[in-house]
Amino acid sequence: MKELIKQRTKTFAIRVIRLVDSLPQTVSAQVIAKQIVRSSTAVAANYRASCRARSQAEFIAKLGIVEEEADESLFWLELLVESGIVKRDKLELLMTEANELTSIIVSSIKTAKRSLEQKTRVKER
């Protein structure tokens, strides 16, 4: 599962990079472009870092960053649509992927927290 999510997050970042390269050269589009490239690539980079975490707590913390960056990426995609810079139909699949990645990460955080809590309870006994 980790390898699948690694690949999905990297593919998401690449798709956003390609999108950004096609945006108009207006000031507003380029400001958003810089923000979304940063947040979408951070999704992939931080997920990869989470897979190398040295502890469950570090894993959870890094996934929290992934969640924030994925949600931020969705925000920038929404802004591109709502500002009229890009038509919704061109971004629908990217927006869906950002939503799905966010949901997967939230679920992973919840599972990891439950697991950590169970381990803590066992140690306390």
Side-chain angles (χ1 to χ4, degrees), residues 2 7 14 17 50 54 67 69 71 74-75 85 95 99 107 111 113 123:
K2 282 184 180 182
Q7 188 56 52
I14 291 167
I17 289 167
S50 76
R54 293 166 293 218
E67 176 190 358
E69 297 292 351
D71 187 57
L74 179 58
F75 169 78
I85 295 170
M95 291 170 76
N99 257 326
S107 179
T111 300
K113 283 182 177 178
K123 285 182 182 178

Side-chain angles (χ1 to χ4, degrees), residues 47-101:
Y47 184 77
R48 186 176 179 126
S50 76
C51 293
R52 299 184 64 95
R54 293 166 293 218
S55 68
Q56 191 79 348
E58 183 179 353
F59 176 71
I60 292 166
K62 288 186 183 297
L63 283 184
I65 296 167
V66 176
E67 176 190 358
E68 290 173 13
E69 297 292 351
D71 187 57
E72 182 179 332
S73 296
L74 179 58
F75 169 78
W76 294 118
L77 291 168
E78 290 169 349
L79 208 55
L80 285 171
V81 170
E82 292 172 23
S83 65
I85 295 170
V86 181
K87 292 185 181 182
R88 179 173 288 280
D89 63 326
K90 288 193 168 204
L91 294 186
E92 200 68 51
L93 291 175
L94 263 179
M95 291 170 76
T96 298
E97 182 67 353
N99 257 326
E100 287 179 10
L101 289 171

